[in-house]
Amino acid sequence: MRLLIAGAALCLASAASAQVYRCGNKYSSTPCPGGREVDTSPQVSQQNSNVATTTLYLCQSYDGGKFWTREHCAQRNALVDRMESVPAGLPFEQQVELAKGQRDSSQVLTAPPAQATYTDSSQPSKASECTALDARIRYLDQLARAGGTAAYMDWIANERKQARDRQFRLHC
């Protein structure tokens, strides 16, 4: 029994120190090209701390301008763009600088990772594209024979014309 508990504790300790990477829309324990390391450490809650905080609001006025305030944006006839918690005992200018820093760091975290570009060297051959276009035209002809609304028939005619134009450009 003690051996089982010790093994579970060892697994939990190794899992807690494992690195996590964001690869596009997926997460992985191994690094990937263009991936970013994700901080999986537990968030520190400010509710239990003795530091008094206040909320700053980044407001957007109806004419598009943005400004920071301690009051809710509705009191200044504006829309709330963002809210940031900052220490209460600082001058307003310092609170704004801290709030801007928090906003900038969160934008870096929420920004999508850089997309890796892949070049596909396996371009479809002319013969395979001609065959695919011929099958597409046959399918569109079947749809047209089945009938439908005027808008649907116009769509079919447009798609068929585009496929025939592509065939002409390829000299199929």
Side-chain angles (χ1 to χ4, degrees), residues 7-171:
L10 182 62
C11 287
L12 287 175
S14 67
S17 64
Q19 296 294 323
V20 177
Y21 299 91
R22 180 176 179 190
C23 305
N25 291 334
K26 298 186 188 284
Y27 293 90
S28 172
S29 59
T30 58
C32 58
R36 277 195 263 174
E37 187 174 325
V38 177
D39 182 18
T40 57
S41 62
Q43 297 231 339
V44 179
S45 174
Q46 292 185 354
Q47 293 174 349
N48 296 335
S49 67
N50 293 333
V51 177
T53 61
T54 187
T55 302
L56 286 188
Y57 298 91
L58 177 58
C59 303
Q60 182 171 359
S61 62
Y62 292 114
D63 64 0
K66 291 188 178 186
F67 58 94
W68 289 94
T69 181
R70 288 184 181 133
E71 302 166 345
H72 194 278
C73 298
Q75 295 175 345
R76 296 192 174 222
N77 294 327
L79 303 171
V80 176
D81 186 60
R82 184 169 194 84
M83 297 180 342
E84 294 292 346
S85 294
V86 293
L90 299 175
F92 181 71
E93 291 77 23
Q94 269 188 310
Q95 290 176 335
V96 168
E97 290 303 315
L98 286 172
K100 285 180 181 178
Q102 291 173 6
R103 179 193 60 190
D104 294 343
S105 65
S106 68
Q107 286 176 344
V108 167
L109 293 175
T110 58
Q115 294 293 323
T117 56
Y118 298 102
T119 56
D120 187 15
S121 61
S122 62
Q123 294 289 330
S125 67
K126 180 180 169 182
S128 66
E129 191 170 355
C130 286
T131 304
L133 286 167
D134 192 42
R136 172 86 174 145
I137 290 169
R138 281 196 306 271
Y139 173 71
L140 291 168
D141 288 342
Q142 286 178 346
L143 291 178
R145 282 191 293 274
T149 64
Y152 183 62
M153 298 304 284
D154 286 343
W155 176 82
I156 292 172
N158 187 37
E159 291 291 312
R160 189 177 191 284
K161 181 184 180 309
Q162 288 178 5
R164 291 292 293 161
D165 289 347
R166 180 72 180 146
Q167 275 185 326
F168 180 76
R169 282 192 300 275
L170 290 173
H171 303 290

